[in-house]
Amino acid sequence: MVDLRSKNMLDGLSGAYPRSIYKAMGYEEKDFKKPLIGVVNSWTEANPGHAHLRQLSEYVKRGIWSNGGMPVEFNTIAPCDGIAQGKGMHYILPSRDIICASIELMVEANQFDGLVMLCSCDKIVPGMLMAAASLNLPTIFLTGGPMEPYTHNGEDLILSDVKEAMGRFKAGIIDEKEFKTIEDQTCQTCGACGMMGTANTMGTVVEAMGLSLPGCGTISAVASARLRLAKMTGERIVDMVREGLNSNKIMTKDNIENAIKYILAIGGSSNAILHIPAIAKQLGVECNIELFDKLSRETPLLAKFKPASKYTLKDFHNAGGVQALLKSLSPKLNLNVLTVTGKTIGENLEKVDFIETDVIRSLDNPLASEGGIAVLKGNLAPKGAIVKQSGVSDKMMVHRGPAKIANSEEEVRELLLNGRVKHGDVLIIRYEGPKGGPGMRELSIPAALLVGMGLGDSVAMVTDARYSGATRGPCIGYVTPEAADGGPIAIVEEGDIISIDIPNRSINIEISDEEINDRLSKWKYEPKKELKGFLRTYQKIVSAANEGATIY
């Protein structure tokens, strides 16, 4: 049994004060001799990804009690990208770093010996991963699991289908009754939205890195198996404390590379390019967008999911889930990394039998020779831009067209809804980066409108904002430097020809360097004066997108 740091706070005469406070909540004298386990819960009624986490935490705590631990639950915030579309989106990416900080402050104040991270959704899972990396305590994750898909006319629908239905309804492709059915029925259970967006990308990354028990990433949010897994998770964290299995024995440089390879192999969310470097920064591990591109060229695409294919997270689970994918990918992984089971990734995979299906391919029969994410560079994005190439049609892998300018998300929505976007255009949406937004809004709705309106094979979108992890189509984001930092995207003019070549990783404005420099010399940026509260501070200190867009 390792020394418990909580005893420095709870033992002896000086411990009488905190012991007395805990006793007010029903804890007994004998409990203070047990490992003190923080149950970090992002439960909220503000979105379905978290609505069931209160029940799961009860099973986690049962497991902790049964194995001789003392569970103490506390909460952190959990805003939803989907609900926050538009104005609310300014506050979503900044919440990730606040989640990390709030956990760190609470854990260090209470001197917990070990942690169970109970979480779901886009910014909460990465925020908790950042906290785990920073705190370096025995830590195990229990993600909330994916939402069940809704079957309609023989097709499994998930939330991204609602967004695209908006575009189809606007274009007159479906009628109001059909649209209403899709809106009303698609989100039929609690859980993370059932596509391979950021929520399920990062939720399954947790399992791929060995930070949760096997199976955690894809078991349905409403399955009884998740309740049993919750209890086992509670039991396991107590043993991890006794074994001294701290998070940084698992969250290593080799495992950061495993995480990237996994994301690339599943066609995961492009937002991972913000989150993995932010997690690596907390570990003191170098991780940049060039590493993503290098590994993408070496890692084949073995699976892809809605909206980039017909398959959902339920299909992924039925095909063997994360463990089956890792088994297929295993020759390219660092298999000696420890996991929360106390065994290495390689040892965990010894008992996994991989059978190739249409859902998960083998290394010698991939969907594509490269991974799902590509990094583009050129005079429009000197420090890089990101595209989820697994979601782009062959027609748009190379594109050249005139720029149509929008200086905000609101402006691009207006262009689309008013029919001012034509076949062949390149939509430039700027001043929406980490600093310019501020908060780097997700252009999820405009991207889905583009596809739903039938323009996904003829119009490209280029922005210093980000996209939903579930976005498909020729949507290039995370352009760095952003417009607010004086990046060349700030000086693109209406009608400038933009050339995009994804296979050759290039994105350029077809004007001379002299013209770019001349325009930049006349350019002036006026920061938003109406900002207040945290956004005003965030704008001053946030790093660039290629550095994780973090305040750390």
Side-chain angles (χ1 to χ4, degrees), residues 18 58 81 116 138 233 467:
E58 292 303 316
D81 286 55
V116 178
T233 299
Y467 291 105

Side-chain angles (χ1 to χ4, degrees), residues 397-424:
M397 294 297 282
V398 177
H399 182 69
R400 181 177 179 271
K404 189 151 285 182
I405 308 298
N407 289 315
S408 68
E409 178 181 356
E410 288 76 13
E411 286 188 18
V412 75
R413 287 200 197 198
E414 184 180 344
L415 287 175
L416 286 163
L417 293 174
N418 290 339
R420 293 164 57 195
V421 179
K422 306 301 181 187
H423 291 275

Side-chain angles (χ1 to χ4, degrees), residues 108-127:
E108 295 293 39
N110 285 273
Q111 292 292 290
F112 292 115
D113 299 307
L115 302 171
V116 178
M117 299 288 195
L118 192 54
C119 52
S120 184
C121 297
D122 298 41
K123 304 304 172 290
I124 298 84
V125 177

Side-chain angles (χ1 to χ4, degrees), residues 46-322:
N47 68 72
H50 299 78
H52 61 309
L53 298 189
R54 176 178 280 177
Q55 181 189 27
L56 286 179
S57 74
E58 292 303 316
Y59 284 82
V60 169
K61 288 185 285 187
R62 288 183 198 179
I64 294 170
W65 282 120
S66 70
N67 202 21
M70 175 181 165
V72 176
E73 183 179 0
F74 67 92
N75 277 79
T76 188
I77 61 173
C80 172
D81 286 55
I83 289 173
Q85 294 297 319
K87 292 293 186 184
M89 190 58 72
H90 290 294
Y91 297 86
I92 293 295
L93 183 59
S95 75
R96 180 197 64 183
D97 294 1
I98 296 301
I99 289 163
C100 173
S102 70
I103 294 169
E104 179 184 342
L105 295 172
M106 190 70 174
V107 169
E108 295 293 39
N110 285 273
Q111 292 292 290
F112 292 115
D113 299 307
L115 302 171
V116 178
M117 299 288 195
L118 192 54
C119 52
S120 184
C121 297
D122 298 41
K123 304 304 172 290
I124 298 84
V125 177
M128 289 197 183
L129 284 166
M130 290 169 65
S134 172
L135 290 163
N136 190 24
L137 293 170
T139 304
I140 190 169
F141 279 70
L142 178 69
T143 51
M147 183 184 289
E148 286 284 308
Y150 168 64
T151 303
H152 178 59
N153 293 335
E155 179 185 2
D156 282 344
L157 301 184
I158 43 84
L159 187 61
S160 61
D161 291 301
V162 178
K163 291 185 290 187
E164 292 189 11
M166 292 163 63
R168 299 205 310 275
F169 179 59
K170 176 65 180 176
I173 298 170
I174 59 175
D175 61 21
E176 185 174 0
K177 181 180 178 182
E178 174 73 357
F179 177 68
K180 193 64 175 171
T181 297
I182 294 171
E183 176 189 338
D184 290 350
Q185 302 299 328
T186 296
C187 292
Q188 64 170 345
T189 73
C190 60
C193 305
M195 64 272 193
M196 191 56 80
T198 309
N200 283 311
T201 296
M202 298 308 298
T204 57
V205 160
V206 165
E207 182 182 343
M209 293 182 73
L211 288 163
S212 68
L213 294 176
C216 184
T218 57
I219 294 172
S220 168
V222 295
S224 61
R226 187 159 293 278
L227 301 179
R228 296 190 293 274
L229 189 73
K231 188 170 184 290
M232 289 188 283
T233 299
E235 293 168 350
R236 181 58 193 149
I237 187 57
V238 181
D239 286 335
M240 288 176 64
V241 171
R242 291 168 178 151
E243 296 163 8
L245 183 50
N246 286 21
S247 61
N248 289 13
K249 293 179 181 178
I250 299 170
M251 302 177 78
T252 62
K253 182 179 185 296
D254 282 348
N255 214 0
I256 288 291
E257 290 198 5
N258 282 344
I260 295 172
K261 291 173 185 176
Y262 168 80
I263 291 161
L264 295 168
I266 61 166
S269 169
S270 55
N271 283 320
I273 217 138
L274 298 176
H275 302 319
I276 298 298
I279 295 161
K281 185 179 288 188
Q282 298 283 34
L283 293 168
V285 170
E286 184 176 353
C287 176
N288 51 40
I289 63 172
E290 285 74 20
L291 178 60
F292 273 82
D293 199 53
K294 173 181 179 293
L295 294 178
S296 188
R297 293 179 183 274
E298 302 169 0
T299 307
L301 182 69
L302 302 182
K304 60 181 181 179
F305 301 94
K306 273 205 164 218
S309 81
K310 66 181 181 180
Y311 298 117
T312 67
L313 266 289
K314 186 173 184 177
D315 297 312
F316 189 23
H317 181 71
N318 291 338
V322 174

Side-chain angles (χ1 to χ4, degrees), residues 265-527:
I266 61 166
S269 169
S270 55
N271 283 320
I273 217 138
L274 298 176
H275 302 319
I276 298 298
I279 295 161
K281 185 179 288 188
Q282 298 283 34
L283 293 168
V285 170
E286 184 176 353
C287 176
N288 51 40
I289 63 172
E290 285 74 20
L291 178 60
F292 273 82
D293 199 53
K294 173 181 179 293
L295 294 178
S296 188
R297 293 179 183 274
E298 302 169 0
T299 307
L301 182 69
L302 302 182
K304 60 181 181 179
F305 301 94
K306 273 205 164 218
S309 81
K310 66 181 181 180
Y311 298 117
T312 67
L313 266 289
K314 186 173 184 177
D315 297 312
F316 189 23
H317 181 71
N318 291 338
V322 174
Q323 298 303 305
L325 191 290
L326 293 179
K327 185 77 168 188
S328 177
L329 189 61
S330 59
K332 293 186 174 290
L333 296 175
N334 302 303
L335 297 176
N336 293 323
V337 173
L338 273 175
T339 73
V340 294
T341 66
K343 299 178 181 180
T344 65
I345 290 174
E347 289 171 331
N348 288 343
L349 291 176
E350 286 176 3
K351 59 185 179 183
V352 177
D353 294 321
F354 170 66
I355 300 173
E356 182 177 8
T357 65
D358 288 341
V359 180
I360 305 175
R361 297 289 190 91
S362 62
L363 273 181
D364 58 4
N365 184 35
L367 292 166
S369 60
E370 292 187 354
I373 294 173
V375 178
L376 313 184
K377 288 191 175 182
N379 65 8
L380 182 58
K383 293 186 177 180
I386 309 301
V387 63
K388 187 173 177 177
Q389 62 176 344
S390 58
V392 181
S393 72
D394 291 342
K395 293 180 183 177
M396 294 298 291
M397 294 297 282
V398 177
H399 182 69
R400 181 177 179 271
K404 189 151 285 182
I405 308 298
N407 289 315
S408 68
E409 178 181 356
E410 288 76 13
E411 286 188 18
V412 75
R413 287 200 197 198
E414 184 180 344
L415 287 175
L416 286 163
L417 293 174
N418 290 339
R420 293 164 57 195
V421 179
K422 306 301 181 187
H423 291 275
D425 285 346
V426 177
L427 286 166
I428 300 289
I429 308 102
R430 59 196 181 194
Y431 298 108
E432 288 286 7
K435 182 185 294 185
M440 201 176 193
R441 286 195 286 183
E442 166 191 295
L443 302 187
S444 170
I445 299 299
L449 286 172
L450 187 79
V451 172
M453 294 169 72
L455 296 171
D457 287 339
S458 62
V459 174
M461 294 178 71
V462 179
T463 181
D464 53 10
R466 59 188 179 88
Y467 291 105
S468 163
T471 294
R472 66 182 174 114
C475 298
I476 298 163
Y478 317 84
V479 169
T480 313
E482 63 173 293
D485 274 335
I489 192 172
I491 53 82
V492 179
E493 295 179 358
E494 194 90 8
D496 282 345
I497 299 300
I498 309 297
S499 60
I500 299 162
D501 188 335
I502 295 173
N504 290 308
R505 304 297 203 262
S506 69
I507 182 165
N508 290 286
I509 329 168
E510 294 186 4
I511 58 175
S512 67
D513 290 346
E514 290 77 15
E515 176 67 15
I516 290 173
N517 292 331
D518 181 61
R519 291 185 191 181
L520 284 172
S521 70
K522 300 171 184 174
W523 170 85
K524 185 178 181 181
Y525 174 61
E526 292 290 341

